[in-house]
Amino acid sequence: MVTTHNLGFPRIGAKRELKFALENYWQGLSSQSELSTAGALLRQRHWENQSAMDLVPVGDFSFYDQMLDMSFTLGNIPARVRDLAGSPLDNYFRVARGRSANESACSCVHAGEMTKWFDTNYHYIVPEFSADTTFSLDASRLLDQLTQAQQLDVRAKPVIIGPVTYLWLGKAKDDSDKLALLPRLLPVYVALLDQLAARGIEWVQIDEPVLVTELNAEWQQAFDTAYAVLKTSQVKLLVATYFGQLQDNLALACRLPVHGLHVDAINARDEVAQLVAQLPADKVLSLGVINGRNIWKTDLHATLEWLEPVHRVLQDRLWIAPSCSLLHVPVDLDSEQKLDRDMHSWLAFALQKLDELHTLAKALNKGRVSVQEALIANHVAVETRRTSARVHVPAVKEAIARIDATLGKRASGYAQRAAKQSALLKLPAYPTTTIGSFPQTAEIRQARNQFRQGVLNEAAYNTLMQREIAHCVREQEALGLDVLVHGEAERNDMVEYFGEQLDGYAFSQFGWVQSYGSRCVKPPILFGDIRRPKAMTVAWTTYAQSLTDKPMKGMLTGPVTILNWSFVRDDQPRSVSCHQLALAIREEVLDLEKAGVRIIQIDEAALREGLPLRQSQWNDYLQWAVESFRITANGVQDETQIHTHMCYSEFNDIIAAIAEMDADVITIETSRSDMELLAAFDHFNYPNEIGPGVYDIHTPNIPSQEHMVQLIRKAEERIPASRLWINPDCGLKTRNWKEVIPALKNMVEAARTLRRAA
Ligand code: GLN
Ligand code: ZN
């Protein structure tokens, strides 16, 4: 008999119940016990949802983040909160978000650093270490959840983060060697496992996803060391890996003295045969056969074709599960009322994925005939999608086949273009601009909602938006900015806005996925070949241009960013979807140019975060990502100035790729790093123009003119003044006008000061 289990369940709730419970609590609108009750109810419901599984995860539920939970379980709590008043939960939220319920942020307690969980869009709170970090067990959170589960007769499999992954993902604040903490950490893990054993637990899932990354000998050795100690515990350990292949770590993973190994058989299908051969006969092999990272129905027939032979070899030693925790997918497709029948039949959210798993297990245990109906229904859905004319558009595939090197190449090199652009644009030295968006006021959001609900008709909505744009243009003229923007009032989100206007995209109503804490995203679903039925931004941009003699920048989101922030197709490589997006946005670029727009910005905010987990795969990704940008941007004439924007501050490892993109101007985030990151551009001899953000838009603070002048002077040590632009770090969408006006006024003054001194 094959065993079924789940690695983790989306904790946020089908209708984002946890989000609302948390935010009420933080605002002081509910008590701690009300929050606990909300959590307990969600856990109970989610365990019921998973009741068909042989083993159900416990401990995957969190009020903020599973890594932060682990830090508290291990007693690794930053000193800055340790002595503060309040409950452990207050301290938990202080580390999570800088404040507990009803507190205002204070300078003494800054939140822990947050960073991306592997290559997902989930963010975890980074554990903090120093040379004298000590650990002590506080198992209360996990044991409380376990008590609840056991009272409900849940077949509980506690889930914890493994010690090597925990250390790997943390940060030594004093640059000490964090691996040196391992001997101190292990006894706490042993004590934790002992407590679980005392509760009658048989299996514990211990997540070690770093096994799918490149580990040096020292870190590989840490695995041997750690598990030689943990094997003394009474529970059986299932080491869980996900998101990629084991590659060099395969032998290591197989020899760990544990009772089972879980691998991601979606990403590491090629390794399954080797694992079956190599895994010692006393261990179970858990295969993640349902994709936990996307929303597509699994092809059950195709899965059984390769899984049945594996089952015949492994028999009871085979477990099956989703490839990773279902944290990364929405909860329930049945909540969706607006998807058409086809789309609905092609998708599977968390609950549907568990149904698929159950069907697979039954087919393995009792033969395919025992689930014939389900298999036929699955086959029909998979075939309809495979052959749908909505998914496959010959004209798009032909256009992709016609892509060649000329498409992504500008007619002339940067120097020649720059001369023509400057003759045409006649910008002053140190030209000033912004990144695109201006404050999204309550009125703007209200107008958009009313338009969506049909309360406002299109004409009335357009009038309101035009009024907003006109206001934004007037303000920028009054400020004396050199290159203006229309302000993006009509955009809810920089990806969704474009997705909604492209064929090949669908939208869910409740397809929320946790990004961090109570924050969720609802990625649009890229399901078919991408086409642009008509211009998407030209009317707004030309309207804005008609109001001013200053150059108006057209604003677009780039193909790589649209791709990386969507649920994407599993029936073609990401690179193909990206190229399709590139061709569609390229048409928009050319239409803008035709309409007389002289400067076009193509944002690639998510280019960096799409980097694969293993460095060995970076080149391949960067190659098609950069090519896609070039296809989008580089069909324009020499006189048209292309800008791009990236809102992050680590460029060292991708600077060559950024230069390859060949944008005339790039604006980046730098103010918080004191222009330090320009070193990467300097060392590389980055050839084109750069706008290093001179102020941080994430805080309400008004930057002083002097400070911005100082920052630019620093930038000039790296980049010639003739190639510098003056702009904020990022868009101003989240700020209000009262902050924006004085900040930009100072920024424009700073540019004037620099010009006078030149
Ligand atoms: N143009 C977008 C804006 O100004 C860019 C946002 C981003 O890079 N995240 O909002
Ligand atoms: Zn940005």
Side-chain angles (χ1 to χ4, degrees):
M1 293 284 270
V2 62
T3 296
T4 55
H5 71 123
N6 187 22
L7 274 63
F9 195 84
R11 53 184 78 117
I12 205 76
K15 298 276 158 68
R16 288 182 295 163
E17 292 88 338
L18 180 60
K19 171 191 177 69
F20 302 117
L22 282 168
E23 290 174 359
N24 276 339
Y25 173 69
W26 292 336
Q27 284 167 34
L29 301 175
S30 67
S31 66
Q32 191 160 316
S33 85
E34 282 169 300
L35 178 64
S36 304
T37 307
L41 283 172
L42 279 170
R43 288 196 296 273
Q44 178 170 355
R45 192 209 293 163
H46 296 163
W47 289 327
E48 281 161 10
N49 289 154
Q50 301 173 82
S51 60
M53 298 294 108
D54 295 317
L55 288 168
V56 175
V58 169
D60 55 334
F61 181 87
S62 172
F63 278 135
Y64 207 94
D65 163 47
Q66 68 268 15
M67 278 297 279
L68 185 60
D69 289 348
M70 205 63 216
S71 288
F72 273 69
T73 301
L74 298 169
N76 181 25
I77 301 168
R80 63 182 179 278
V81 304
R82 228 173 279 155
D83 298 324
L84 296 181
S87 67
L89 191 67
D90 288 326
N91 270 346
Y92 178 84
F93 287 133
R94 286 178 186 130
V95 184
R97 52 192 287 277
R99 65 191 93 170
S100 179
N102 257 335
E103 277 179 349
S104 52
C106 81
S107 52
C108 49
V109 187
H110 58 93
E113 186 184 329
M114 192 165 68
T115 196
K116 273 165 66 79
W117 178 244
F118 297 87
D119 59 351
T120 73
N121 212 347
Y122 177 83
H123 300 74
Y124 70 94
I125 305 288
V126 179
E128 298 172 28
F129 303 127
S130 65
D132 44 273
T133 297
T134 56
F135 303 96
S136 61
L137 182 63
D138 174 5
S140 56
R141 190 197 68 95
L142 187 54
L143 293 179
D144 286 350
Q145 293 188 20
L146 193 54
T147 304
Q148 184 195 2
Q150 290 179 324
Q151 278 164 0
L152 294 166
D153 279 333
V154 171
R155 291 178 295 275
K157 175 196 58 176
V159 179
I160 58 176
I161 308 281
V164 184
T165 292
Y166 180 74
L167 285 179
W168 172 274
L169 294 178
K171 200 165 169 179
K173 295 280 166 180
D174 57 356
D175 282 329
S176 59
D177 172 19
K178 56 188 179 178
L179 208 40
L181 301 174
L182 188 62
R184 268 180 248 167
L185 186 56
L186 293 175
V188 182
Y189 269 88
V190 172
L192 174 61
L193 296 175
D194 284 347
Q195 297 227 10
L196 295 173
R199 293 293 188 98
I201 289 300
E202 183 184 4
W203 283 96
V204 173
Q205 172 187 322
I206 185 157
D207 288 4
E208 292 284 14
V210 296
L211 279 167
V212 307
T213 66
E214 283 133 339
L215 298 175
N216 64 22
E218 211 187 350
W219 282 90
Q220 289 189 331
Q221 175 59 46
F223 268 98
D224 285 319
T225 311
Y227 285 84
V229 175
L230 301 194
K231 79 169 183 203
T232 57
S233 81
Q234 294 301 305
V235 292
K236 293 179 178 164
L237 293 178
L238 176 77
V239 167
T241 68
Y242 35 82
F243 302 147
Q245 309 184 345
L246 292 166
Q247 296 188 9
D248 287 352
N249 303 323
L250 189 138
L252 167 67
C254 284
R255 74 165 177 258
L256 292 177
V258 293
H259 289 77
L261 176 67
H262 172 87
V263 297
D264 176 340
I266 300 294
N267 280 302
R269 247 303 292 292
D270 296 347
E271 293 180 337
V272 170
Q274 208 184 334
L275 285 161
V276 170
Q278 208 165 321
L279 197 70
D282 57 350
K283 292 185 193 178
V284 303
L285 179 60
S286 165
L287 295 179
V289 294
I290 306 278
N291 196 327
R293 291 285 293 277
N294 75 20
I295 38 60
W296 300 110
K297 197 165 259 184
T298 306
D299 183 341
L300 296 179
H301 179 80
T303 306
L304 284 170
E305 285 297 297
W306 68 264
L307 194 53
E308 280 167 345
V310 173
H311 183 224
R312 278 194 288 276
V313 176
L314 292 178
Q315 295 291 335
D316 289 356
R317 290 171 54 216
L318 176 64
W319 288 18
I320 57 174
S323 59
C324 58
S325 166
L326 295 175
L327 183 65
H328 311 289
V329 294
V331 179
D332 187 4
L333 184 63
D334 290 342
S335 305
E336 300 297 327
Q337 301 301 325
K338 294 199 174 149
L339 292 169
D340 62 77
R341 261 187 62 199
D342 270 352
M343 272 308 297
H344 206 277
S345 77
W346 299 340
L347 300 177
F349 292 178
L351 293 183
Q352 289 69 36
K353 284 174 185 286
L354 293 177
D355 285 344
E356 292 180 341
L357 193 70
H358 189 60
T359 304
L360 286 176
K362 221 166 153 192
L364 293 174
N365 287 335
K366 300 191 176 138
R368 292 195 200 187
V369 283
S370 69
V371 285
Q372 203 164 18
E373 249 173 67
L375 290 182
I376 290 170
N378 175 269
H379 183 70
V380 171
V382 168
E383 277 306 298
T384 328
R385 181 176 161 221
R386 201 177 59 79
T387 54
S388 166
R390 289 169 64 200
V391 175
H392 302 282
V393 183
V396 176
K397 299 201 196 299
E398 284 154 23
I400 292 292
R402 280 197 305 271
I403 290 178
D404 63 24
T406 60
L407 214 53
K409 202 164 170 338
R410 293 197 65 167
S412 315
Y414 164 75
Q416 251 171 303
R417 289 174 348 231
K420 291 189 195 171
Q421 289 162 16
S422 99
L424 198 75
L425 293 168
K426 300 199 174 57
L427 294 171
Y430 303 102
T432 54
T433 191
T434 59
I435 305 305
S437 57
F438 269 82
Q440 288 258 326
T441 59
E443 296 83 68
I444 296 178
R445 276 194 293 263
Q446 193 191 350
R448 213 167 32 230
N449 283 337
Q450 291 184 336
F451 179 45
R452 272 173 187 256
Q453 289 158 9
V455 180
L456 270 184
N457 66 26
E458 191 169 340
Y461 173 74
N462 284 349
T463 309
L464 278 179
M465 288 300 124
Q466 289 195 342
R467 212 179 288 162
E468 226 11 91
I469 290 172
H471 169 244
C472 186
V473 171
R474 269 198 315 274
E475 293 294 346
Q476 293 174 81
E477 285 204 311
L479 284 162
L481 287 155
D482 300 306
V483 171
L484 311 195
V485 296
H486 78 288
E488 301 180 26
E490 78 289 5
R491 301 184 191 176
N492 38 349
D493 171 276
M494 63 190 283
V495 169
E496 194 172 31
Y497 179 76
F498 290 94
E500 277 173 346
Q501 301 188 74
L502 293 169
D503 286 350
Y505 259 105
F507 295 84
S508 65
Q509 289 165 275
F510 300 100
W512 296 101
V513 179
Q514 189 178 19
S515 174
Y516 62 89
S518 66
R519 194 45 183 267
C520 303
V521 293
K522 187 153 65 66
I525 301 168
L526 193 169
F527 72 90
D529 288 341
I530 293 292
R531 264 181 316 177
R532 187 196 69 143
K534 55 179 200 300
M536 304 182 280
T537 65
V538 175
W540 300 118
T541 314
T542 50
Y543 171 71
Q545 181 68 82
S546 75
L547 304 172
T548 176
D549 294 332
K550 295 271 180 79
M552 179 63 55
K553 226 177 354 177
M555 279 293 152
L556 303 173
T557 303
V560 189
T561 298
I562 297 185
L563 183 88
N564 284 341
W565 285 346
S566 301
F567 279 122
V568 295
R569 295 169 66 167
D570 60 350
D571 60 346
Q572 66 186 19
R574 294 171 76 84
S575 57
V576 175
S577 298
C578 199
H579 281 146
Q580 292 186 357
L581 286 163
L583 289 178
I585 314 283
R586 173 187 172 93
E587 289 175 22
E588 187 72 14
V589 169
L590 296 179
D591 275 356
L592 282 170
E593 182 180 56
K594 220 178 289 162
V597 179
R598 294 264 134 257
I599 304 184
I600 301 168
Q601 177 174 314
I602 304 163
D603 293 330
E604 282 294 16
L607 187 133
R608 188 175 202 290
E609 68 180 55
L611 282 173
L613 282 177
R614 286 178 184 270
Q615 278 196 19
S616 59
Q617 294 158 352
W618 281 19
N619 268 343
D620 179 54
Y621 165 79
L622 287 170
Q623 201 188 330
W624 59 255
V626 169
E627 189 187 17
S628 298
F629 180 89
R630 292 176 61 112
I631 290 169
T632 306
N634 290 354
V636 296
Q637 293 157 14
D638 285 351
E639 289 78 4
T640 302
Q641 190 170 69
I642 295 289
H643 289 216
T644 189
H645 166 70
M646 298 184 180
C647 33
Y648 35 81
S649 48
E650 286 163 57
F651 284 91
N652 283 317
D653 37 20
I654 55 165
I655 185 74
I658 304 281
E660 265 304 282
M661 288 165 62
D662 201 18
D664 296 300
V665 182
I666 182 170
T667 56
I668 51 176
E669 173 183 323
T670 30
S671 67
R672 264 179 301 180
S673 70
D674 230 17
M675 299 284 153
E676 282 310 328
L677 85 102
L678 285 178
F681 288 79
D682 185 10
H683 290 149
F684 187 78
N685 270 326
Y686 184 81
N688 305 2
E689 289 159 53
I690 308 181
V694 291
Y695 83 84
D696 179 8
I697 60 93
H698 301 93
T699 85
N701 302 343
I702 309 297
S704 74
Q705 193 212 134
E706 295 72 31
H707 185 62
M708 288 185 277
V709 168
Q710 223 175 23
L711 283 175
I712 289 294
R713 289 284 181 232
K714 249 188 123 174
E716 283 172 6
E717 292 165 16
R718 306 277 193 188
I719 313 288
S722 59
R723 286 202 265 119
L724 282 176
W725 285 62
I726 315 291
N727 47 262
D729 260 353
C730 195
L732 301 165
K733 166 176 175 171
T734 54
R735 299 264 63 92
N736 59 48
W737 280 102
K738 275 201 208 108
E739 296 154 353
V740 162
I741 297 286
L744 290 178
K745 199 177 260 175
N746 290 352
M747 188 186 89
V748 170
E749 255 339 293
R752 289 187 181 140
T753 305
L754 290 160
R755 282 171 208 155
R756 277 194 300 269

